[in-house]
């Protein structure tokens, strides 16, 4: 059996606002109702834009420090990301994500021909499958991620979808198209989460930012800033956080906590229990099975 203690899957659903998750993600909310998942409201950092918030999520540093101030800042991160910290702790990493994630932690600028699939154990993202069209189907992103999970057995698997954000920009954050995109991802999670949970992975499902009715984000309104955080396998956040929105800067140290990796000096450890190093991993070969992604039509 594959040892999954201290193995973490983080799912970032680009552009998923908090209220849409709570209203339309019936499977996720079922698990909350059953007490298997916890859901928290997170307030995004500012500006509520994708690339700056990818850096926030993965490094736990504010934009004023990390310098990824806008979507057009195309360069490698200068911070210690969760990917960096995991590899330094001899953990395996993988990502199925939008190409901007490759530009932050693998190589910049992104070359669609050579950078689509990347394998290099010396890089922060050791195994990467990166897409570069906003309408690349979310079902395919999860399939890419499942391939990486089974083939490379990463301790840290980062999965990042774009169809919710894409529908939001084209039709608005209160449109039926946006709603459908949210419901579709819920169906994909309903396919994969049961097996991940059974295999013992810790799972975090969250978003970078929300989306307003006009199809915009970047500003300070609740529709743009409030995103969900569903957690499985970790009781690290106290119930008081359900009342108050959780600061997004807590996400990176939370990921470190789940992995048993010490957070970087730049990350806050507020709200987390004392650091406990990961137990040595017992390797008995990967026997995980690929989960079939059923059609959601
Ligand atoms: Zn967007």
């Amino acid at each position: 059996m594959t040892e999954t203690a201290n193995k973490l899957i983080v799912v970032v659903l680009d552009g998923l606002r908090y209220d849409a998750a709570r209203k339309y993600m019936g499977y996720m909310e079922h698990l909350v109702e059953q007490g298997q998942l916890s859901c928290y409201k997170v307030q995004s950092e500012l500006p509520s834009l994708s690339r700056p918030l990818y850096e926030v999520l993965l490094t736990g540093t504010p934009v004023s420090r990390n310098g990824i101030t806008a979507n057009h800042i195309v360069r490698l991160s200068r911070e210690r990301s969760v990917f960096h910290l995991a590899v330094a702790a001899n953990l395996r990493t993988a990502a199925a994500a939008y190409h901007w994630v490759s530009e932050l932690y693998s190589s910049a600028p992104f070359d669609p021909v050579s950078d689509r699939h990347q394998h290099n154990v010396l890089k922060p993202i050791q195994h990467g499958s990166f897409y570069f069209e906003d309408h690349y189907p979310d079902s395919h992103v999860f399939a890419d991620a499942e391939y990486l999970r089974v083939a490379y057995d990463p301790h840290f698997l980062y999965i990042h979808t774009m169809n919710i954000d894409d529908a939001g920009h084209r039709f608005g954050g209160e449109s039926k198209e946006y709603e459908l995109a949210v419901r579709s991802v819920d169906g994909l999670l309903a396919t994969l989460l049961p097996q991940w949970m059974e295999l013992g992975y810790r799972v975090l499902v969250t978003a970078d930012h929300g989306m307003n009715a006009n199809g915009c984000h970047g500003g300070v309104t609740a529709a743009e800033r409030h995103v969900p955080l569903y957690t499985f396998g970790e009781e690290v956040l106290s119930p008081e956080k359900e009342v108050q929105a959780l600061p997004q800067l807590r996400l990176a140290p939370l990921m470190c906590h789940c992995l048993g990796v010490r957070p970087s000096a730049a990350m806050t450890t507020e709200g987390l229990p004392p650091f406990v190093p990961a137990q040595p991993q017992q390797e008995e070969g990967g026997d995980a099975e690929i989960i079939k992604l059923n059609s959601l039509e």
Side-chain angles (χ1 to χ4, degrees):
M1 186 185 155
T2 304
E3 181 61 60
T4 49
N6 294 112
K7 282 189 182 162
L8 173 67
I9 297 175
V10 173
V11 180
V12 174
L13 306 172
D14 206 291
L16 174 63
R17 53 193 256 183
Y18 177 79
D19 59 350
R22 303 307 312 257
K23 279 193 287 189
Y24 306 135
M25 301 194 93
Y27 173 68
M28 297 298 279
E29 290 296 320
H30 166 68
L31 295 181
V32 173
E33 239 175 46
Q34 292 292 314
Q36 295 187 50
L37 293 188
S38 302
C39 186
Y40 303 85
K41 183 189 286 181
V42 173
Q43 174 155 293
S44 86
E45 280 292 294
L46 292 172
S48 54
L49 293 170
S50 289
R51 195 187 302 251
L53 295 181
Y54 303 164
E55 176 78 338
V56 166
L57 282 168
L58 282 158
T59 69
T61 60
V63 161
S64 57
R65 172 192 160 117
N66 64 46
I68 305 296
T69 54
N71 282 338
H72 61 263
I73 307 296
V74 179
R75 64 159 169 81
L76 284 172
S77 170
R78 294 173 187 149
E79 302 294 327
R80 298 277 287 167
S81 73
V82 180
F83 291 118
H84 291 88
L85 297 166
V87 169
N90 288 320
L91 301 182
R92 292 182 296 276
T93 64
Y98 195 57
H99 65 292
W100 293 2
V101 174
S102 172
E103 289 180 330
L104 282 166
Y105 308 110
S106 198
S107 65
F110 184 82
D111 179 337
V113 176
S114 60
D115 295 345
R116 169 88 168 102
H117 300 287
Q118 299 178 41
H119 299 280
N120 184 341
V121 294
L122 301 177
K123 288 209 167 180
I125 300 175
Q126 295 177 326
H127 304 284
S129 172
F130 300 101
Y131 61 95
F132 42 90
E133 305 277 7
D134 291 18
H135 58 276
Y136 183 71
D138 288 351
S139 57
H140 292 39
V141 179
F142 280 104
D144 294 340
E146 262 310 275
Y147 170 73
L148 293 173
R149 184 182 72 78
V150 174
Y152 300 101
D153 193 21
H155 301 88
F156 179 44
L157 174 60
Y158 190 77
I159 306 174
H160 170 222
T161 68
M162 193 54 77
N163 290 169
I164 295 171
D165 185 74
D166 189 40
H169 284 303
R170 286 192 287 136
F171 303 104
E174 287 164 19
S175 64
K176 72 173 184 192
E177 291 84 357
Y178 180 85
E179 177 183 329
L180 182 63
V182 176
R183 290 178 187 270
S184 296
V185 174
D186 186 61
L188 293 166
L189 290 167
T191 312
L192 293 164
L193 256 181
Q195 186 162 339
W196 293 345
M197 291 163 76
E198 193 168 321
L199 288 168
Y201 285 91
R202 291 164 177 177
V203 182
L204 305 176
V205 179
T206 190
D208 48 354
H209 54 71
M211 181 71 61
N212 76 7
N214 293 330
C216 298
H217 57 83
V220 303
T221 65
E224 294 163 85
R225 286 191 89 172
H226 286 170
V227 298
L229 168 64
Y230 294 96
T231 66
F232 171 74
E234 273 305 308
E235 296 297 332
V236 294
L237 301 167
S238 59
E240 126 275 322
K241 300 299 182 311
E242 301 211 38
V243 184
Q244 229 180 326
L246 196 71
Q248 200 168 30
L249 292 172
R250 300 266 184 91
L251 269 288
L254 176 61
M255 293 177 208
C256 290
H257 174 79
C258 293
L259 289 164
V261 167
R262 192 183 296 280
S264 77
M267 293 176 188
T268 178
T269 52
E270 197 185 331
L272 290 180
F275 173 71
V276 180
Q279 297 300 311
Q281 299 292 322
Q282 207 182 338
E283 301 298 345
E284 294 175 34
D287 62 349
E289 285 172 22
I290 291 180
I291 302 167
K292 285 208 178 90
L293 288 167
N294 295 325
S295 165
L296 294 165
E297 303 310 311

